[in-house]
Amino acid sequence: MNGGDEAVPADGGPVVAAAAAPLEWKFAQVFGERTAGEEIQEVDIISAIEFDKSGDHLATGDRGGRVVLFERTDTKDVSGSRRDLERMDDAINRHPEFRYKTEFQSHEPEFDYLKSLEIEEKINKIRWCQTANSALFLLSTNDKTIKFWKVQEKKIKRISEMNIDPSKVLRNGTIGSSSNSCSPKPRLANGGSPEKSSAYGCNDLSFPAGGIPSLHLPVVTSLETSLIARCRRVYAHAHDYHINSISNNSDGETFISADDLRVNLWNLEISNQSFNIVDVKPANMEDLTEVITSAEFHPSHCNMLAYSSSKGCIRLIDLRQSALCDSHAKM
């Protein structure tokens, strides 16, 4: 960890560590650089930031309700030779480099008419979820509403045009001059085409002399790919107070959300109901002495979580003991 080598004495004495080289910190990269004298807009102030588990993606949220994604680029386009791989493992010779990936509007300002309360679009927390099929999943929340997003590359499809002038197509679907009355057209076998315009029984048609040798029907073609962010779930109307934290579980199926007085357990696939596991709200609000400040699942044990309070206490909860966590396992 410190970059030094340990020297083992021949007489079996105590191990003396060699002098470690001092750590050198230097500036690496910046996003959102502004010109001198430019004023900072309120909506552009970053309010949340989160790396995914692999460290290859970075998400930021701002007061304007936007989520901006960045991806790491220094790990790509590396040859498979052993020397290059060893060079990549050398932390001294490289530093992480990120580039802009995409952005989307996660939340909009709302108004609670029952409480006459304005709900800001500011992003309070962002949490990455497990990836699947090269798609990115993440949770984002403002004061009241949590959203589950899927970001994936999709091919942009377009429809090719026909090789017929649309102005020459009549209302009944036939092709020709609308001012002339034509006799009934003879039927053609499948795949057949008229050799002459007189085959249609009409003297003045808008076809070339040789008919239509090849009729191109519209075809759907994929030209390019684009990143599309789609909201899969909206988890709302479960918190009376402002949400201060969210945390996804290691089981990949559930997550928790916490406000000042309650912690709720959610299933990612069920957005219309949640399970209240912690409630510190007293019967009389005048007896309120502490509030919840943060809550977090254990990174590997799906049955354990912890939450902190304004009194400086951290309470550890074991869901195997009780689903209703009125009492903690440790404090």
Side-chain angles (χ1 to χ4, degrees):
M1 294 295 292
N2 57 9
D5 297 328
E6 293 184 350
V8 180
D11 57 357
V15 177
V16 179
L23 292 176
E24 181 183 355
W25 294 89
K26 62 180 180 179
F27 175 78
Q29 197 173 2
V30 65
F31 298 106
E33 188 174 1
R34 64 183 189 278
T35 59
E38 181 182 358
E39 295 184 0
I40 301 176
Q41 301 295 326
E42 181 73 16
V43 295
D44 295 331
I45 297 177
I46 295 176
S47 57
I49 186 169
E50 185 78 9
F51 280 98
D52 68 344
K53 184 178 294 186
S54 65
D56 293 336
H57 293 91
L58 172 66
T60 63
D62 58 25
R63 291 180 175 269
R66 297 185 300 265
V67 173
V68 183
L69 303 183
F70 302 90
E71 64 178 351
R72 191 171 177 178
T73 59
D74 60 301
T75 58
K76 297 181 179 181
D77 301 329
V78 179
S79 60
S81 65
R82 182 172 181 178
R83 178 176 298 178
D84 291 335
L85 294 177
E86 289 177 351
R87 187 181 296 112
M88 290 298 297
D89 290 336
D90 189 358
I92 300 177
N93 295 333
R94 68 183 180 95
H95 64 268
E97 294 181 0
F98 289 84
R99 69 177 179 184
Y100 171 85
K101 187 176 181 70
T102 186
E103 68 178 87
F104 56 90
Q105 187 71 30
S106 176
H107 287 72
E108 299 285 352
E110 301 176 8
F111 187 81
D112 190 345
Y113 293 96
L114 295 178
K115 299 181 179 180
S116 298
L117 180 67
E118 292 184 359
I119 303 174
E120 295 182 351
E121 65 272 28
K122 177 177 71 75
I123 304 298
N124 291 342
K125 291 289 182 180
I126 297 175
R127 287 291 184 267
W128 289 92
C129 301
Q130 295 181 358
T131 60
N133 299 327
S134 69
L136 303 176
F137 296 89
L138 53 91
L139 291 165
S140 62
T141 182
N142 63 352
D143 289 338
K144 295 291 184 180
T145 305
I146 307 168
K147 293 186 178 182
F148 184 40
W149 292 92
K150 177 181 180 181
V151 182
Q152 188 178 26
E153 286 188 353
K154 285 196 173 183
K155 294 182 179 179
I156 299 178
K157 296 181 180 180
R158 295 184 181 179
I159 301 177
S160 62
E161 298 179 355
M162 297 177 61
N163 60 335
I164 295 179
D165 188 358
S167 62
K168 298 178 182 179
V169 179
L170 305 183
R171 291 183 179 180
N172 58 2
T174 59
I175 303 174
S177 175
S178 59
S179 60
N180 297 333
S181 60
C182 302
S183 59
K185 304 174 180 59
R187 298 181 180 274
L188 298 176
N190 289 338
S193 62
E195 295 295 332
K196 296 181 180 180
S197 61
S198 60
Y200 281 84
C202 182
N203 295 327
D204 187 13
L205 290 175
S206 300
F207 292 124
I212 303 178
S214 177
L215 177 61
H216 295 171
L217 296 178
V219 178
V220 178
T221 57
S222 298
L223 299 179
E224 57 184 3
T225 58
S226 176
L227 280 172
I228 304 296
R230 183 169 62 91
C231 183
R232 295 194 60 193
R233 298 284 187 277
V234 178
Y235 314 92
H237 312 297
H239 289 276
D240 294 331
Y241 306 94
H242 291 176
I243 299 173
N244 54 49
S245 58
I246 54 176
S247 178
N248 46 340
N249 200 348
S250 59
D251 61 6
E253 297 180 359
T254 57
F255 71 94
I256 57 173
S257 59
D259 60 20
D260 293 340
L261 299 178
R262 293 184 177 93
V263 178
N264 293 334
L265 179 66
W266 299 83
N267 189 298
L268 285 172
E269 300 298 328
I270 302 174
S271 59
N272 58 358
Q273 63 180 357
S274 61
F275 187 69
N276 179 236
I277 58 177
V278 176
D279 190 351
V280 299
K281 182 179 180 180
N284 187 359
M285 288 296 290
E286 295 181 356
D287 299 332
L288 182 65
T289 58
E290 63 177 337
V291 295
I292 299 173
T293 56
S294 181
E296 190 81 13
F297 260 118
H298 192 278
S300 58
H301 297 299
C302 62
N303 57 284
M304 298 179 64
L305 60 99
Y307 71 92
S308 59
S309 72
S310 57
K311 283 188 174 181
C313 300
I314 299 176
R315 292 177 173 87
L316 185 66
I317 296 172
D318 193 341
L319 294 175
R320 295 173 299 181
Q321 182 179 357
S322 175
L324 289 173
C325 306
D326 298 329
S327 60
H328 50 270
K330 280 187 179 182
M331 183 172 66

